[in-house]
Amino acid sequence: MFRARRRALAGLLCAAAVLPAAAVAGGAAARLQVLTVAGGELLVDRPLAGQARWCVAWNHSVAGFAVHDCYLWRDGTLWLERSHQPDFAAGLGHLAGRGVQRSDGQGGYWIEHIDEAVPGNALRLRVGAPAVAHRVLIDGERIDLSVLAARQAVWLRVVPPLQDE
């Protein structure tokens, strides 16, 4: 138990060390990072410009279609902004009072204006097998989390830019 905690702490400290070097090299910018929960291994580290938007997408385990949860980084806070669901399959649906459901014009729907702050600017995700294909979609890029960390728990977090003191 102690060894696992020490590895996790070491991994987080290593991940934290990446941020200052990146901030100095490329100007101060918030960073989207994906780290393994078990060991703190940094899997993804991307700069975010201004009010950045991206989605976490995956294939529904029963129906197989893509589901998207879309996030916004704004004013130092990570927000769940909207979600796209092509069907009312198991585990999906709109909850009254949580955003506005609108048709996507193709038989599915968007839940827009969810606008929920993500606690601690981080979310924990259990990455699915390759068939589930958990992925981050950002600036036209697809980062396949199921290739990087299938069946592992990861943190998807935004680290604010360093402030000059």
Side-chain angles (χ1 to χ4, degrees):
M1 181 84 142
F2 176 73
R3 189 177 289 173
R5 286 185 187 168
R6 192 168 71 187
R7 274 192 310 232
L9 180 58
L12 290 174
L13 291 173
C14 289
V18 171
L19 181 61
V24 170
R31 311 220 34 109
L32 172 63
Q33 297 181 334
V34 178
L35 300 99
T36 61
V37 169
E41 179 185 356
L42 184 64
L43 302 174
V44 175
D45 185 26
R46 296 286 186 276
L48 297 176
Q51 292 191 16
R53 287 182 163 84
W54 71 92
C55 296
V56 175
W58 67 94
N59 299 334
H60 188 274
S61 61
V62 176
F65 51 63
V67 178
H68 293 76
D69 284 337
C70 298
Y71 296 87
L72 167 67
W73 174 252
R74 181 184 67 223
D75 298 330
T77 302
L78 179 60
W79 299 88
L80 173 59
E81 187 175 35
R82 62 192 196 142
S83 182
H84 183 258
Q85 304 172 6
D87 194 335
F88 289 100
L92 301 179
H94 175 242
L95 301 173
R98 186 175 186 255
V100 177
Q101 180 179 318
R102 301 198 191 285
S103 170
D104 69 0
Q106 300 175 352
Y109 58 97
W110 280 99
I111 302 171
E112 298 177 332
H113 308 291
I114 297 173
D115 302 328
E116 289 179 359
V118 176
N121 292 331
L123 58 116
R124 186 178 167 142
L125 171 68
R126 176 85 176 159
V127 178
V132 176
H134 273 107
R135 56 218 179 260
V136 173
L137 308 173
I138 183 168
D139 295 331
E141 181 181 4
R142 174 188 162 127
I143 303 167
D144 195 332
L145 299 177
S146 290
V147 168
L148 296 172
R151 299 178 183 91
Q152 294 183 57
V154 299
W155 285 108
L156 189 138
R157 71 180 186 183
V158 175
V159 179
L162 296 176
Q163 301 297 318
D164 292 333
E165 297 185 333

